[in-house]
Amino acid sequence: MDVLINVFVALHIIGIASLLGGFLTQMKAMGAGTARFTPAMLHGALTMLVTGVALVGLNQADDQTVNNVKIGIKLALLVVILALVYVKRDEEEVDKGAFIAVGALTTVNIFIATVWT
């Protein structure tokens, strides 16, 4: 079971790398007011959602303790990120505030995952 959990953790990290990497590659465009949500950002957020749900299920099946408050907060942040990216995915230029919100919420989600023990 540990190998399967570690595979899903790796996939979860790949998802967050895709989301954050998509944000970081658009930073220069954000300064010019031409930033947009890339397909990699949407796919990364969806990967995070699917693998995160799978990780919770796998950890509970393995009788490991799951901090439901932490998972709930991370899920809520991810739902907001997904909503913003999904709704504005076809726009050629995304509002600077929405773009910054996605980057900030992604960063907060990373810190919750790593610092909150």
Side-chain angles (χ1 to χ4, degrees):
M1 187 71 101
D2 287 338
V3 172
L4 187 59
I5 290 172
N6 287 334
V7 167
F8 275 93
V9 168
L11 292 172
H12 196 69
I13 292 170
I14 289 169
I16 203 151
S18 179
L19 177 60
L20 189 60
F23 172 78
L24 293 174
T25 59
Q26 293 287 311
M27 290 288 286
K28 187 173 182 180
M30 182 184 66
T34 60
R36 61 187 313 259
F37 293 130
T38 63
M41 294 173 75
L42 177 61
H43 296 151
L46 288 170
T47 300
M48 286 175 58
L49 178 64
V50 170
T51 58
V53 169
L55 281 168
V56 170
L58 288 170
N59 282 311
Q60 287 181 341
D62 198 28
D63 290 328
Q64 295 183 24
T65 304
V66 176
N67 186 339
N68 290 317
V69 173
K70 176 181 173 180
I71 299 301
I73 291 170
K74 286 179 55 59
L75 179 62
L77 293 175
L78 185 56
V79 166
V80 172
I81 291 167
L82 265 169
L84 285 170
V85 173
Y86 185 78
V87 168
K88 298 185 176 287
R89 71 188 184 280
D90 292 330
E91 292 183 14
E92 288 298 319
E93 295 178 2
V94 178
D95 177 52
K96 189 175 183 178
F99 197 77
I100 290 173
V102 167
L105 291 173
T106 301
T107 305
V108 168
N109 217 344
I110 292 168
F111 277 101
I112 289 172
T114 56
V115 176
W116 187 344
T117 56

